Amino acid sequence: MLPHDNLEEFQDPANYDLEEIPGAGARIAFYAALARQVGDPVLEIACGNGIVAIPIAQTGLAVTGVDLARPMLAHGRGKAERLRLAVEWVEGDARQLDLGRRFRFVYITGNAFQALQTRVDQSAFLSTVLRHLAEDGVFAFETRNPAGHDLSDQPDETFWFRYVGVEGHAIEVSGTQAFDPAAQVLHWTTYRRWRDAAGPHVRTTRIACRFTNVADLDVLLREHGFEVTQRFGGFEGEAFAPDSPSIVSICRRLEPGL
Ligand SMILES: C[S@@+](CC[C@H](N)C(=O)[O-])C[C@H]1O[C@@H](n2cnc3c(N)ncnc32)[C@H](O)[C@@H]1O
């Protein structure tokens, strides 16, 4: 049980866009190309505020997005409405969802797979995917590769990046990290600092992300009825290498009858 709400990071969706979108181009293109290839209906689990779901809907495909964080869903809905896109937004938990229908393409991105804190949660999520995946459907996702990341404890606050927030203030983002090797969970604390006429401000958020190595991931996928048909180390078609930053997997059902 975490000592904090693991959705703290997702309470300010407008600034989330400003932090995430600049680096998301290749990732959006990767999932949009797959969606085009596989066809709709498309289901994004843990869709956030639609950074990937909206561009896919813009290609004319029917998209449903599910997320646990209400502010993210509300912001996504607003963006889609302004673009006159009929995206379906559903509040739901990736571990328990049952929409009662199947999708040709199911994906989870933004490393949201790592929000699943335990093997039990990962297992419940993969059962959700199977429940919603058409017989000949495709499931795709990425997760950070533990062997491609520095998981060392970093208790001293380190500068990460800076950007101009929605209210026009320069926001400096810094943080610390602590790894729990038994749980395979990395705990990040993020500080966003800015100044305005009232003085200095700080917003502190905590998030825990589980790191799963590629061997364990493959066992997990197989145990839950998935076959990995393609594997990449990033979103530009890079072959997966042991120290790739990401484990990007494209999967199908092992037994289409299930
Ligand atoms: C890093 S964001 C990624 C959002 C989006 N997929 C993207 O690429 O921009 C992770 C998202 O996972 C959602 N999330 C975390 N745990 C969840 C759960 N159990 N069920 C559904 N959504 C969850 C959070 O609310 C957040 O919006």
Side-chain angles (χ1 to χ4, degrees):
M1 191 68 181
L2 288 172
H4 60 83
D5 174 4
N6 215 30
L7 300 179
E8 284 178 353
E9 197 67 50
F10 310 113
Q11 303 305 311
D12 183 2
N15 276 316
Y16 181 87
D17 266 353
L18 296 176
E19 293 182 13
E20 293 296 315
I21 284 176
R27 186 166 69 89
I28 296 169
F30 176 86
Y31 286 102
L34 256 180
R36 235 181 355 260
Q37 205 178 304
V38 178
D40 59 6
V42 174
L43 173 63
E44 180 175 353
I45 303 179
C47 63
N49 63 0
I51 286 175
V52 181
I54 288 176
I56 292 179
Q58 283 177 303
T59 69
L61 298 175
V63 179
T64 298
V66 174
D67 202 278
L68 206 47
R70 279 186 194 170
M72 294 293 265
L73 285 170
H75 191 248
R77 187 176 287 116
K79 290 194 291 184
E81 278 170 8
R82 285 191 291 282
L83 292 165
R84 299 181 189 283
L85 291 170
V87 177
E88 181 188 25
W89 305 93
V90 179
E91 185 180 337
D93 190 322
R95 296 162 295 184
Q96 295 160 9
L97 188 73
D98 190 355
L99 296 173
R101 59 206 147 98
R102 297 197 180 217
F103 296 79
R104 285 193 48 73
F105 181 46
V106 179
Y107 68 101
I108 183 166
T109 182
N111 295 305
F113 179 77
Q114 295 187 249
L116 303 157
Q117 297 293 300
T118 62
R119 172 96 184 187
V120 171
D121 283 356
Q122 290 177 334
S123 180
F125 163 70
L126 289 174
S127 300
T128 293
V129 175
L130 216 50
R131 198 158 48 240
H132 291 88
L133 193 64
E135 279 213 6
D136 58 348
V138 170
F139 165 51
F141 72 110
E142 88 281 352
T143 182
R144 294 181 192 86
N145 181 14
H149 284 267
D150 177 2
L151 300 181
S152 62
D153 285 349
Q154 295 172 19
D156 296 328
E157 192 179 330
T158 307
F159 170 78
W160 288 345
F161 62 97
R162 106 171 22 91
Y163 71 104
V164 176
V166 281
E167 281 165 350
H169 310 303
I171 300 179
E172 199 158 289
V173 185
S174 56
T176 62
Q177 68 177 45
F179 188 58
D180 174 347
Q184 299 177 356
V185 168
L186 188 68
H187 297 267
W188 274 298
T189 302
T190 305
Y191 305 95
R192 291 172 179 81
R193 299 179 192 281
W194 71 97
R195 277 183 170 278
D196 61 17
H201 301 269
V202 60
R203 185 165 84 90
T204 306
T205 55
R206 294 154 297 174
I207 191 164
C209 288
R210 186 160 204 250
F211 278 72
T212 306
N213 70 46
V214 69
D216 287 349
L217 193 66
D218 282 345
V219 171
L220 187 73
L221 287 167
R222 232 190 145 69
E223 277 177 3
H224 288 81
F226 294 100
E227 177 192 9
V228 178
T229 56
Q230 277 183 291
R231 161 88 23 91
F232 301 104
F235 294 112
E236 317 241 22
E238 311 90 308
F240 178 74
D243 62 349
S244 291
S246 281
I247 309 169
V248 182
S249 309
I250 302 179
C251 313
R252 285 188 180 276
R253 286 171 178 273
L254 265 171
E255 294 173 50
L258 287 179

